[in-house]
Coordinates of all heavy atoms in Angstrom, one line a residue:
I297 N 1.2 -6.3 9.8 CA 1.9 -6.1 8.5 C 1.5 -4.8 7.8 O 1.7 -4.6 6.6 CB 1.7 -7.3 7.6 CG1 0.2 -7.5 7.3 CG2 2.4 -8.6 8.1 CD1 -0.1 -8.6 6.3
S298 N 1.0 -3.8 8.6 CA 0.8 -2.5 8.1 C 2.1 -1.9 7.7 O 3.2 -2.3 8.2 CB 0.2 -1.6 9.1 OG -0.9 -2.2 9.7
V299 N 2.2 -1.0 6.8 CA 3.4 -0.3 6.4 C 4.0 0.3 7.7 O 3.3 0.6 8.6 CB 3.2 0.8 5.3 CG1 2.8 0.3 4.0 CG2 2.2 1.9 5.8
L303 N 7.1 4.8 6.1 CA 6.6 4.5 4.7 C 5.2 5.1 4.6 O 4.8 5.6 3.5 CB 6.6 3.0 4.4 CG 6.1 2.6 3.0 CD1 6.8 3.4 1.9 CD2 6.3 1.1 2.8
F395 N -1.6 2.2 -4.8 CA -0.7 1.5 -3.8 C -1.1 0.1 -3.8 O -2.2 -0.3 -3.4 CB -0.9 2.1 -2.5 CG 0.0 1.5 -1.4 CD1 1.4 1.2 -1.7 CD2 -0.5 1.1 -0.2 CE1 2.2 0.6 -0.7 CE2 0.3 0.5 0.8 CZ 1.6 0.3 0.5
I396 N -0.2 -0.8 -4.3 CA -0.5 -2.2 -4.4 C 0.2 -2.9 -3.2 O 1.4 -2.9 -3.0 CB 0.1 -2.8 -5.7 CG1 -0.7 -2.1 -6.9 CG2 -0.1 -4.3 -5.8 CD1 -0.2 -2.5 -8.3
D397 N -0.7 -3.6 -2.4 CA -0.1 -4.1 -1.1 C -1.0 -5.3 -0.6 O -1.0 -5.6 0.6 CB -0.1 -3.0 0.0 CG 0.7 -3.4 1.2 OD1 1.6 -4.3 1.1 OD2 0.4 -2.8 2.3
A398 N -1.7 -6.0 -1.5 CA -2.4 -7.2 -1.1 C -1.6 -8.5 -1.3 O -0.4 -8.5 -1.2 CB -3.8 -7.2 -1.7
K400 N 0.6 -11.3 -2.6 CA 1.7 -11.1 -3.5 C 1.6 -11.9 -4.8 O 2.0 -11.4 -5.8 CB 3.0 -11.4 -2.8 CG 3.2 -10.7 -1.4 CD 2.8 -9.3 -1.3 CE 2.7 -8.7 0.1 NZ 2.0 -7.4 0.2
Y403 N 0.1 -9.9 -7.6 CA 0.6 -8.6 -8.0 C 0.6 -8.4 -9.5 O 0.3 -7.2 -9.9 CB 2.1 -8.5 -7.5 CG 2.2 -7.9 -6.1 CD1 1.1 -7.8 -5.2 CD2 3.4 -7.3 -5.6 CE1 1.2 -7.2 -3.9 CE2 3.5 -6.7 -4.4 CZ 2.5 -6.7 -3.5 OH 2.6 -6.1 -2.3
V422 N 4.4 -0.2 -5.2 CA 4.2 -1.6 -5.0 C 5.0 -2.0 -3.8 O 6.3 -1.9 -3.8 CB 4.7 -2.4 -6.2 CG1 4.3 -3.9 -6.0 CG2 4.1 -1.9 -7.5
D423 N 4.4 -2.5 -2.7 CA 5.0 -2.8 -1.5 C 5.6 -4.2 -1.5 O 5.2 -5.1 -2.2 CB 4.0 -2.7 -0.3 CG 4.7 -2.6 1.1 OD1 5.9 -2.1 1.1 OD2 4.1 -2.9 2.1
N424 N 6.6 -4.4 -0.7 CA 7.2 -5.7 -0.4 C 7.8 -6.5 -1.5 O 7.6 -7.7 -1.7 CB 6.1 -6.6 0.3 CG 5.3 -5.9 1.4 OD1 4.1 -5.7 1.3 ND2 6.0 -5.5 2.4
R427 N 11.6 -8.5 0.2 CA 11.4 -9.6 1.2 C 12.7 -10.4 1.5 O 12.9 -11.5 1.2 CB 10.4 -10.7 0.6 CG 9.1 -10.1 0.2 CD 8.4 -9.3 1.4 NE 7.8 -10.1 2.4 CZ 6.6 -10.6 2.3 NH1 5.8 -10.4 1.3 NH2 6.1 -11.4 3.3
K468 N 9.9 -3.1 9.9 CA 9.3 -4.3 9.2 C 10.4 -5.2 8.7 O 10.1 -6.0 7.8 CB 8.4 -3.8 8.1 CG 7.2 -3.0 8.6 CD 6.2 -3.9 9.2 CE 5.6 -3.3 10.5 NZ 4.5 -2.5 10.4
D471 N 13.2 -5.1 3.5 CA 12.2 -5.3 2.4 C 12.4 -4.2 1.4 O 13.6 -3.7 1.2 CB 10.8 -5.3 3.0 CG 9.8 -6.1 2.1 OD1 10.0 -6.2 0.9 OD2 8.9 -6.7 2.7
G472 N 11.4 -3.8 0.7 CA 11.6 -2.7 -0.3 C 10.3 -2.4 -1.0 O 9.3 -3.2 -0.9
Ligands
MG148 MG1 2.9 -4.5 2.6

Side-chain angles (χ1 to χ4, degrees):
I297 57 174
S298 309
V299 293
L303 183 51
F395 180 48
I396 298 176
D397 193 25
K400 314 313 169 196
Y403 268 20
V422 187
D423 197 24
N424 311 118
R427 304 307 283 275
K468 297 287 137 88
D471 209 327

